[in-house]
Amino acid sequence: MKVELQINNTTNANGRFVGWSPSPCRIRITDPTGATTQTVVVKLSAVSTATGGAVVFRKTAAGTSSTTLDLSLPINGASVPFFVVGRKASISNGDVSIQARAQIANSPIVGVIRLMVRIRKNAESLTTAERDRFLAAFASLNTSGRFQDFRDMHTLLSQPQAHGAKGFLPWHRSYLLDLEREIQTIDPSVALPYWRFDQPGPKLFTLDFMGVAGPTGTVQWSATNPMQFWATDSALGVTRSPMAGWTPTTQPGPGVITEAATFALGTTYVAFRFPMELNPHGQAHTRWFGFIRSVPTAAKDPLFFLLHCNVDRLWAKWQRINGRFDPAVAASYDSAPANPGHNLPDTMWPWNGITNATDPTRPPTAPGGGMASSPCTTAPGTQPRVQQTLDYRGTISAASRLAFDYDDA
């Protein structure tokens, strides 16, 4: 007998990635040879490498988790649903295997599928291999020319769409997700890491990772770091240097409030978003001289995306602490009317393709096209709406899951 296992309800190998939220899966008998009844009970279990990830199983999305799962499969090939939930992050693709074992004579293994618990991690915790995969994929996106669209999305023209209003966090969540999905088309094992700017970065600010400021403020890289070829706006290199007296490898960003202080800003979105945008977000940017210091040039520096990954993580963790995933709950967002692109039902620029030709509140161009798709989920579609960014874990509706998670959120 043989069975077929699908992760995220797809046979696509690039869909074999799970996180902390239940991922919908299916199993079916493809060869009933040896079966003596109309249904066969199959036991699912997970096997991990010594340093690999770990998963558990559920019969339903909201059901009880278990390390094994018995499922009755009809021999006619009809598929049976189940769910997989990550319990420990992976460090490489395929370091978790799900085995299906038939509960018949000799209990043979009748199907195996390998997957990864793919989680956004603290840049300081990455293994060397994880770091190098991320750098190689990100540099490849830049070399291909596709990154220019992301640079063009975050310029002074984008200011009213992305900053200084309540859509600041939803817009940047969508921006990171779009970029991450593009990177994953190059290497699906990669998730964006984050820079915890309220802590020192001894592993991050090195020649082998995000580089070190040279005497003139130009970032220097090691000879093996693919970031040495980073180019934006047809110019090679990154300009970034720390404030005088600040050593990023041994000190947190000067004046940047702690994570605990960030969560203490308030328990409603209205109370949380505005001060959070100023500090820690703004302070983390302005501790530097160079590209990352201001909106028109910030996205030219690859560190920008690690900085904003932490901003998004802080929002995600705040959501979990306060239970703020439901757009229908007033405290989860700001209900006051705002310009288009900031209200819950609104689609966001540039993914909606709207320019000032039809809406004077929008920029003159809409670079990048629609939101990149994912083989792991259908959400949020090509034109994300503000409200679709809140329930990113599928807590309120499984269909809302955006297929990313953080190591501690």
Side-chain angles (χ1 to χ4, degrees), residues 300-319:
K300 290 163 62 72
D301 187 340
L303 179 64
F304 166 90
F305 296 92
L306 281 69
L307 184 160
H308 263 279
C309 197
N310 192 51
V311 171
D312 187 72
R313 181 190 71 93
L314 290 169
W315 180 30
K317 200 167 180 179
W318 175 88
Q319 288 182 281

Side-chain angles (χ1 to χ4, degrees), residues 12-161:
N12 186 337
N14 289 340
R16 296 171 189 170
F17 297 88
V18 302
W20 306 142
S21 307
S23 290
C25 304
R26 305 194 76 84
I27 182 173
R28 68 184 184 95
I29 293 175
T30 55
D31 180 358
T33 302
T36 58
T37 57
Q38 291 302 301
T39 61
V40 177
V41 176
V42 169
K43 182 182 290 291
L44 301 181
S45 60
V47 178
S48 302
T49 62
T51 57
V55 300
V56 291
F57 303 98
R58 294 181 185 176
K59 281 193 174 181
T60 62
T64 302
S65 297
S66 59
T67 55
T68 62
L69 183 64
D70 290 344
L71 296 171
S72 295
L73 309 185
I75 63 171
N76 66 5
S79 63
V80 174
F82 66 99
F83 292 83
V84 172
V85 183
R87 280 292 178 264
K88 177 188 174 187
S90 293
I91 63 170
S92 61
N93 198 353
D95 66 12
V96 183
S97 294
I98 294 177
Q99 297 182 351
R101 192 178 295 271
Q103 299 302 290
I104 57 179
N106 300 319
S107 298
I109 293 175
V110 294
V112 177
I113 195 166
R114 302 177 73 87
L115 57 85
M116 179 182 189
V117 185
R118 186 177 62 192
I119 302 294
R120 293 178 180 177
K121 298 179 181 179
N122 188 330
E124 291 292 312
S125 72
L126 299 182
T127 65
T128 300
E130 287 178 303
R131 179 201 70 193
D132 290 349
R133 291 200 307 269
F134 165 68
L135 293 174
F138 201 3
S140 179
L141 187 74
N142 179 263
T143 302
S144 72
R146 179 69 175 92
F147 178 77
Q148 187 63 37
D149 287 330
F150 290 94
R151 186 274 180 277
D152 292 343
M153 291 179 197
H154 198 282
T155 65
L156 200 57
L157 291 174
S158 71
Q159 176 82 357
Q161 309 297 314

Side-chain angles (χ1 to χ4, degrees), residues 86-341:
R87 280 292 178 264
K88 177 188 174 187
S90 293
I91 63 170
S92 61
N93 198 353
D95 66 12
V96 183
S97 294
I98 294 177
Q99 297 182 351
R101 192 178 295 271
Q103 299 302 290
I104 57 179
N106 300 319
S107 298
I109 293 175
V110 294
V112 177
I113 195 166
R114 302 177 73 87
L115 57 85
M116 179 182 189
V117 185
R118 186 177 62 192
I119 302 294
R120 293 178 180 177
K121 298 179 181 179
N122 188 330
E124 291 292 312
S125 72
L126 299 182
T127 65
T128 300
E130 287 178 303
R131 179 201 70 193
D132 290 349
R133 291 200 307 269
F134 165 68
L135 293 174
F138 201 3
S140 179
L141 187 74
N142 179 263
T143 302
S144 72
R146 179 69 175 92
F147 178 77
Q148 187 63 37
D149 287 330
F150 290 94
R151 186 274 180 277
D152 292 343
M153 291 179 197
H154 198 282
T155 65
L156 200 57
L157 291 174
S158 71
Q159 176 82 357
Q161 309 297 314
H163 303 89
K166 61 185 183 179
F168 164 70
L169 291 171
W171 191 92
H172 283 87
R173 175 166 287 178
S174 300
Y175 185 46
L176 292 178
L177 183 64
D178 196 12
L179 177 86
E180 183 176 63
R181 288 181 175 184
E182 290 288 353
I183 290 174
Q184 287 166 352
T185 64
I186 298 168
D187 186 340
S189 74
V190 170
L192 284 175
Y194 60 87
W195 166 41
R196 267 203 68 167
F197 34 64
D198 66 334
Q199 295 181 347
K203 294 182 179 179
L204 181 61
F205 298 109
T206 64
L207 295 172
D208 290 324
F209 204 163
M210 279 292 108
V212 176
T216 63
T218 299
V219 175
Q220 298 178 332
W221 321 88
S222 71
T224 57
N225 191 334
M227 287 293 172
Q228 66 183 298
F229 305 111
W230 186 267
T232 51
D233 301 341
S234 302
L236 183 67
V238 173
T239 299
R240 182 205 322 135
S241 57
M243 291 178 62
W246 174 38
T247 306
T249 55
T250 59
Q251 300 168 304
V256 175
I257 65 172
T258 65
E259 181 173 294
T262 301
F263 298 146
L265 292 172
T267 61
T268 67
Y269 187 86
V270 172
F272 177 73
R273 192 278 308 168
F274 177 70
M276 190 263 206
E277 185 174 353
L278 297 178
N279 191 2
H281 161 257
Q283 288 289 100
H285 274 284
T286 58
R287 301 309 87 190
W288 302 95
F289 297 104
F291 293 162
I292 201 168
R293 186 177 177 88
S294 61
V295 170
T297 57
K300 290 163 62 72
D301 187 340
L303 179 64
F304 166 90
F305 296 92
L306 281 69
L307 184 160
H308 263 279
C309 197
N310 192 51
V311 171
D312 187 72
R313 181 190 71 93
L314 290 169
W315 180 30
K317 200 167 180 179
W318 175 88
Q319 288 182 281
R320 178 175 60 80
I321 292 168
N322 296 288
R324 303 300 187 216
F325 298 103
D326 191 347
V329 174
S332 297
Y333 198 62
D334 184 346
S335 61
N339 285 335

